[in-house]
Amino acid sequence: MTNWRAVFIGFLLATVFGIVGLVIPGIGQLAAGLIGGFVAGYMAGGGLGSGLWHGLLAGSLGGIIGGLLIGVAVGLAGLALGPVGGAISGAAGLGILALAVGISLVMAIESAVAGAIGGMLNSGRSGRGGRNAY
């Protein structure tokens, strides 16, 4: 069973660290995904599989939201530039979609690996609501 609280907290941490990580492009976002996935996996507990699943969900949610934000920003920029901007942002739409999918995949994979490590470190928890199994 999915612990959505752990996924949401991992997603929030990845988002906050991703924004802070803009100071160090690339490395900051990588660290954000790793931290968010680890926290989601650790909070969910339950071992390797559970941690991997929760880290994957936290990372992919962050990637999807990030891709949507990029799409909205390009759309607004195209709207501000009038008809020419609309044509440019329309032509760039496929590239934006590819970028969003790529970001989502990278964030999901790195968060899943970190979540698996977090789940292994906290394998004594049940993975249901963060309550102990005993």
Side-chain angles (χ1 to χ4, degrees):
M1 178 175 274
T2 302
N3 181 345
W4 288 105
R5 181 175 179 255
V7 170
F8 186 69
I9 290 174
F11 159 71
L12 284 179
L13 283 172
T15 302
V16 169
F17 279 106
I19 291 169
V20 172
L22 289 174
V23 175
I24 309 170
I27 296 172
Q29 281 70 35
L30 177 67
L34 291 173
I35 292 168
F38 179 82
V39 169
Y42 187 81
M43 284 184 66
L48 180 73
S50 176
L52 185 124
W53 174 248
H54 288 87
L56 178 75
L57 287 175
S60 61
L61 182 63
I64 290 168
I65 299 298
L68 286 174
L69 290 176
I70 290 170
V72 168
V74 170
L76 288 176
L79 182 66
L81 295 174
V84 175
I88 292 171
S89 65
L94 230 56
I96 294 167
L97 176 65
L99 178 68
V101 168
I103 290 171
S104 182
L105 285 173
V106 168
M107 285 186 72
I109 290 170
E110 69 174 344
S111 294
V113 170
I117 294 169
M120 282 191 325
L121 292 176
N122 191 19
S123 61
R125 296 179 90 178
S126 69
R128 293 208 273 159
R131 296 180 185 93
N132 288 335
Y134 0 91

